[in-house]
Amino acid sequence: MSDVIHELVIVGSGPAGYTAGIYAARAQLAPVLYEGSVTAGGALMNTTEVENFPGFPDAIIGPDLMDKLKAQAEKFGSILVRDDIVEMKLQGDVKTLVDGSGNTLQAKAVILATGSAYKEIGLENEKRLSGRGVSWCATCDGFFFRNQEIAVVGGGDSAMEEATFLTRFASKVVVIHRRDSLRASKIMVERAQTNPKIEFLWNTEVIDVLGAENVTGLKLRNTVDGSESERAFTGLFVAIGHSPRSELLVGQVELDDEGYVKVQGRSTHTNLSGVFACGDLVDHTYRQAITAAGSGCQAALDAERFLAGH
């Protein structure tokens, strides 16, 4: 364990973590920012063109946007570490963190920006064709499917919301659900079922995503009789939920029933003094790059004020 006690450690990168790093570094806090060994840059590393992040009227590729945020955080003095935090003890005035290389750090304050992960179907070609027809975000990618026939997998509110939103662009949206009824709220179901552009495939699951360079179709299985079929689609939107990356926080920071970190009011304060949370780790609703970046700014400001008072 190093004798150095850092002012601030930021756990996680992506728009929230990097923005927290920018603000904290400009406040002369010399934050140590753990990007993650595999997840550095967050979900946008798997996104192609980002057209809705302010300041880029001609769009920007997701990894390029993250590279710019990373460079900006580093420019002002963030200390970037390409590793994971594997253990945290967040109670008390001095927090202790252990990284994947076995290094132990101490810090007066910690910002949690570990994000959330889209739940995947778990198919090999789903991953391979990510960004080439397979998406987990209608708001991010719907625009690229104008006048095309696309599929949405899921049966909850998120799936109904995604399907309804996608009808603005697609010629037809086919909702694929493995059961014969939806678990979505009544109002969301009614909205989707009365939309003439939405078709439902009941008792059906996706067992493969077809296409060499881009999605060309799906292989389907009927969950009742086991029969298999193929159907042409140019896009697949997976809307089966999110999982917050909060495994290391169980029993320390207060979480809600779904595993998201609870924060106090409109702030980023958790139930632990000196521990702040931001980005998709706390956000059930918006899950956009710009809202994550905004909450990363809030977390850095909250941490700065906390440290100034201690």
Side-chain angles (χ1 to χ4, degrees), residues 168-246:
R168 302 181 188 186
F169 310 103
S171 58
K172 176 180 281 189
V173 177
V174 179
V175 175
I176 301 172
H177 188 46
R178 58 183 297 114
R179 299 180 180 84
D180 60 2
S181 62
L182 301 167
R183 63 182 185 277
S185 59
K186 185 176 180 181
I187 188 169
M188 294 299 293
V189 170
E190 183 178 341
R191 189 176 300 165
Q193 290 183 334
T194 56
N195 190 312
K197 280 190 172 184
I198 296 179
E199 174 190 336
F200 288 85
L201 273 183
W202 304 107
N203 298 315
T204 302
E205 60 183 352
V206 177
I207 58 174
D208 199 3
V209 184
L210 308 176
E213 299 297 324
N214 297 284
V215 173
T216 59
L218 301 175
K219 189 172 184 179
L220 309 170
R221 177 190 293 138
N222 185 289
T223 58
V224 176
D225 61 23
S227 60
E228 297 181 1
S229 61
E230 293 182 3
R231 180 162 173 175
F233 293 103
T234 54
L236 169 64
F237 286 78
V238 181
I240 55 178
H242 299 77
S243 299
R245 293 190 171 104
S246 58

Side-chain angles (χ1 to χ4, degrees), residues 48 127-135 145 212-216 234:
T48 50
K127 199 72 171 178
R128 182 178 64 83
L129 292 170
S130 171
R132 293 183 288 170
V134 177
S135 173
F145 293 87
E213 299 297 324
N214 297 284
V215 173
T216 59
T234 54

Side-chain angles (χ1 to χ4, degrees), residues 22-63:
I22 292 167
Y23 274 79
R26 292 188 76 251
Q28 306 298 309
L29 297 178
V32 180
L33 193 162
Y34 272 81
E35 300 178 89
S37 58
V38 176
T39 59
L44 281 183
M45 297 301 289
N46 297 318
T47 304
T48 50
E49 288 188 322
V50 179
E51 294 189 317
N52 53 8
F53 197 92
F56 298 95
D58 297 321
I60 182 170
I61 301 299

Side-chain angles (χ1 to χ4, degrees), residues 1-308:
M1 179 186 294
S2 170
D3 293 332
V4 174
I5 299 178
H6 299 279
E7 292 292 300
L8 175 65
V9 172
I10 300 168
V11 184
S13 50
Y18 286 139
T19 302
I22 292 167
Y23 274 79
R26 292 188 76 251
Q28 306 298 309
L29 297 178
V32 180
L33 193 162
Y34 272 81
E35 300 178 89
S37 58
V38 176
T39 59
L44 281 183
M45 297 301 289
N46 297 318
T47 304
T48 50
E49 288 188 322
V50 179
E51 294 189 317
N52 53 8
F53 197 92
F56 298 95
D58 297 321
I60 182 170
I61 301 299
D64 291 346
L65 176 59
M66 290 303 95
D67 283 345
K68 289 180 181 295
L69 290 178
K70 174 179 177 176
Q72 195 170 355
E74 200 166 25
K75 172 185 176 181
F76 289 116
S78 291
I79 302 163
L80 303 184
V81 183
R82 192 68 177 261
D83 203 346
D84 300 302
I85 293 295
V86 297
E87 184 180 341
M88 290 185 270
K89 295 179 181 177
L90 300 175
Q91 292 86 355
D93 293 335
V94 177
K95 326 300 180 185
T96 303
L97 303 94
V98 180
D99 69 20
S101 300
N103 301 305
T104 300
L105 299 88
Q106 294 181 303
K108 299 176 185 176
V110 172
I111 291 176
L112 305 170
T114 50
S116 68
Y118 292 108
K119 291 181 180 177
E120 300 178 1
I121 301 171
L123 304 172
E124 181 180 347
N125 285 330
E126 171 192 15
K127 199 72 171 178
R128 182 178 64 83
L129 292 170
S130 171
R132 293 183 288 170
V134 177
S135 173
W136 289 264
C137 179
T139 309
C140 310
D141 299 327
F143 179 82
F144 303 109
F145 293 87
R146 287 188 176 277
N147 302 315
Q148 298 178 41
E149 186 166 326
I150 56 180
V152 172
V153 173
D157 279 353
S158 294
M160 297 307 101
E161 187 174 352
E162 299 269 282
T164 302
F165 177 83
L166 288 166
T167 59
R168 302 181 188 186
F169 310 103
S171 58
K172 176 180 281 189
V173 177
V174 179
V175 175
I176 301 172
H177 188 46
R178 58 183 297 114
R179 299 180 180 84
D180 60 2
S181 62
L182 301 167
R183 63 182 185 277
S185 59
K186 185 176 180 181
I187 188 169
M188 294 299 293
V189 170
E190 183 178 341
R191 189 176 300 165
Q193 290 183 334
T194 56
N195 190 312
K197 280 190 172 184
I198 296 179
E199 174 190 336
F200 288 85
L201 273 183
W202 304 107
N203 298 315
T204 302
E205 60 183 352
V206 177
I207 58 174
D208 199 3
V209 184
L210 308 176
E213 299 297 324
N214 297 284
V215 173
T216 59
L218 301 175
K219 189 172 184 179
L220 309 170
R221 177 190 293 138
N222 185 289
T223 58
V224 176
D225 61 23
S227 60
E228 297 181 1
S229 61
E230 293 182 3
R231 180 162 173 175
F233 293 103
T234 54
L236 169 64
F237 286 78
V238 181
I240 55 178
H242 299 77
S243 299
R245 293 190 171 104
S246 58
E247 298 86 357
L248 296 179
L249 307 175
V250 175
Q252 299 194 76
V253 176
E254 190 175 0
L255 308 176
D256 67 14
D257 292 340
E258 297 179 61
Y260 290 86
V261 174
K262 288 186 176 182
V263 291
Q264 299 172 17
R266 296 185 64 190
S267 78
T268 63
H269 291 262
T270 70
N271 63 303
L272 295 181
S273 177
V275 179
F276 309 87
C278 58
D280 285 2
L281 185 62
V282 303
D283 182 9
H284 290 255
T285 308
Y286 301 106
R287 294 193 294 264
Q288 298 298 302
I290 188 61
T291 53
S295 69
C297 162
Q298 290 176 274
L301 295 175
D302 285 342
E304 178 189 356
R305 289 165 186 160
F306 168 82
L307 291 166

